[in-house]
Amino acid sequence: MTARPEMYRFHNGEKATLQFEISEYETRVAKLRAIMADHGVTAAVFTSMHSIAYYSGFLYCAFGRPYGLVVTETECVTISAGIDAGQPWRRSFCDNITYTDWQRDNYWRAIASVTGAGKTVGYEGDHLTLVQRDKLEDFLKPAATLDISVAVMRQRMHKSAAEIALIREGARVADVGGYAIRDAVKEGVREIDVAMAGRDAMEAEIAKSFPDAEYRDTWVWFQSGINTDGAHNPVTGRVLQRGDILSLNTFPMISGYYTALERTMFVKEVDSASLKIWQANVAAHEYGMSLLKPGVSCAEVTHKINEFFHERDLLQYRTFGYGHSFGVLSHYYGREAGLELREDIDTVLEPGMVISMEPMLTIANDQPGAGGYREHDILVITQDGNENITGYPYGPDFNVVG
């Protein structure tokens, strides 16, 4: 029987048109190599969806299999499983090696074929499992290892002009989904029906605007009544009723880049207790947006909005931070945790960062004004302030619907 290979290069077809120009990826890798040099790292082994997509253009589907990207001083190679055939190579701006599953750990043998042994290896400490960390040691026999996850996260937090252009388009698509949802809201319809209307509108718009992209992962969370109490509550079959509080959340995904639109709504009418809470949250939203400018830390912004809510006896109803970074991230992979509006984040805002403002108040179901109230806009930090790239209106004047 012919010996079966541990790995091979299956460069099937032609390279696909990626979301960004090749020069964009080359610039990112050049900046990565500068980070590596600063830390004395001679080989970086990435395992997360967000880092691999950021540096190569390839967004993997793991399905229980490991994937990777190896960057050295001269090489940049994605590592993929045979089940995906030539697609990882077509969607990587760089080289690709396919590992086989004829024997265990061919994945690490493929990585070692690029890194060699005895190098100083950088890895993602916030993603690499203990099992895979042990295999890294066994197969690469590194002279030293270093967690570079924070350093590369800081790189991703500063967006290029091309990234900002894509995020701007994502915000526009999110608005398209928002208007479709507004049109679909009626007494007697289910949450899932409204959600599908928003998702379908965004999918069609993405396909129209990005004909060369892969289409995956765009979704909607649309909640009503008690289901609005959490920011990430899944869609259900609950039927909308007159006077219901609603939470509109549209999430277009374009080549791994996430954007969002989130709005409080009511079906046909809003009672006085709810209106008071809603108006207070809108006021906090507007105040918060005014604070986002270069030179201000995430913690400073958070404390000021806390004071705003405390003065109105509403701070106890806040359940999480007031905003976060945008870029290569998703609900199931990635998160630029160094750029979040929380008390424990001291990152100072700089031009080229992209961040949301999204205050939320949750009132328990047995209290007047029960429900979850959230407004969400995406803002690009500029030289002297910010630019709001979200267009869908917020507040009671536009969002009492049905």
Side-chain angles (χ1 to χ4, degrees), residues 10-24:
F10 189 52
H11 295 177
N12 192 37
E14 302 295 327
K15 286 284 193 181
T17 300
L18 300 183
Q19 193 55 62
F20 300 105
E21 298 291 336
I22 298 302
S23 59
E24 172 77 10

Side-chain angles (χ1 to χ4, degrees), residues 68-365:
L69 171 71
V70 183
V71 179
T72 67
E73 293 176 349
T74 59
E75 301 294 321
C76 183
V77 186
T78 51
I79 310 295
S80 60
I83 193 170
D84 291 327
Q87 184 263 357
W89 177 76
R90 293 193 298 273
R91 290 286 167 177
S92 300
F93 96 93
C94 53
D95 194 7
N96 169 263
I97 295 175
T98 298
Y99 72 90
T100 68
D101 58 6
W102 313 142
Q103 62 180 336
R104 192 171 298 278
D105 295 325
N106 281 345
Y107 167 75
W108 283 105
R109 293 182 181 93
I111 289 175
S113 75
V114 182
T115 65
K119 303 299 174 59
T120 299
V121 177
Y123 66 94
E124 295 175 276
D126 58 352
H127 186 269
L128 193 67
T129 66
L130 293 174
V131 169
Q132 297 291 16
R133 170 64 190 270
D134 289 344
K135 291 181 185 294
L136 184 155
E137 296 281 353
D138 291 342
F139 284 88
L140 306 189
K141 296 179 171 51
T145 58
L146 183 70
D147 178 10
I148 59 172
S149 59
V150 173
V152 297
M153 176 186 66
R154 290 195 187 111
Q155 180 185 351
R156 297 197 313 274
M157 280 162 38
H158 293 82
K159 313 304 177 192
S160 68
E163 286 183 284
I164 290 174
L166 178 60
I167 293 168
R168 189 186 304 276
E169 270 294 278
R172 183 187 66 79
V173 173
D175 288 345
V176 169
Y179 287 111
I181 285 173
R182 187 176 189 272
D183 290 342
V185 170
K186 299 286 188 298
E187 288 184 79
V189 303
R190 301 173 301 172
E191 290 179 4
I192 184 64
D193 299 314
V194 177
M196 287 190 293
R199 182 203 62 204
D200 290 351
M202 290 190 292
E203 293 271 23
E205 187 65 24
I206 293 170
K208 174 184 174 183
S209 301
F210 299 91
D212 296 317
E214 293 179 320
Y215 309 117
R216 58 193 290 188
D217 303 328
T218 291
W219 85 106
V220 167
W221 280 327
F222 179 79
Q223 302 112 348
S224 63
I226 194 171
N227 294 337
T228 64
D229 66 346
H232 297 162
N233 293 352
V235 175
T236 75
R238 185 181 181 277
V239 173
L240 307 192
Q241 304 170 34
R242 186 183 186 92
D244 270 348
I245 185 172
L246 308 175
S247 187
L248 175 160
N249 305 268
T250 63
F251 306 112
M253 291 290 295
I254 305 170
S255 298
Y257 277 74
Y258 162 94
T259 46
L261 167 71
E262 296 159 11
R263 291 289 185 257
T264 303
M265 308 173 80
F266 276 78
V267 179
K268 288 192 175 292
E269 63 186 24
V270 52
D271 63 271
S272 59
S274 299
L275 182 61
K276 183 179 179 181
I277 302 295
W278 192 3
Q279 290 172 330
N281 201 57
V282 165
H285 181 58
E286 293 176 335
Y287 175 57
M289 289 191 291
S290 75
L291 300 174
L292 299 178
K293 59 188 66 175
V296 179
S297 76
C298 294
E300 288 178 83
V301 172
T302 302
H303 287 304
K304 288 182 178 181
I305 303 174
N306 281 347
E307 292 171 6
F308 182 94
F309 277 137
H310 177 70
E311 291 170 357
R312 291 154 180 79
D313 195 28
L314 293 172
L315 183 58
Q316 65 270 31
Y317 302 121
R318 172 200 160 197
T319 56
F320 60 94
Y322 293 119
H324 59 80
S325 183
F326 279 82
V328 183
L329 50 91
S330 172
H331 59 311
Y332 63 87
Y333 68 84
R335 180 169 171 245
E336 294 168 7
L339 187 56
E340 295 189 1
L341 299 175
R342 299 181 356 182
E343 292 87 344
D344 59 343
I345 303 295
D346 294 322
T347 302
V348 174
L349 299 181
E350 298 176 11
M353 292 179 171
V354 181
I355 193 167
S356 62
M357 175 53 60
E358 50 177 308
M360 180 172 181
L361 299 173
T362 297
I363 311 299
N365 203 45

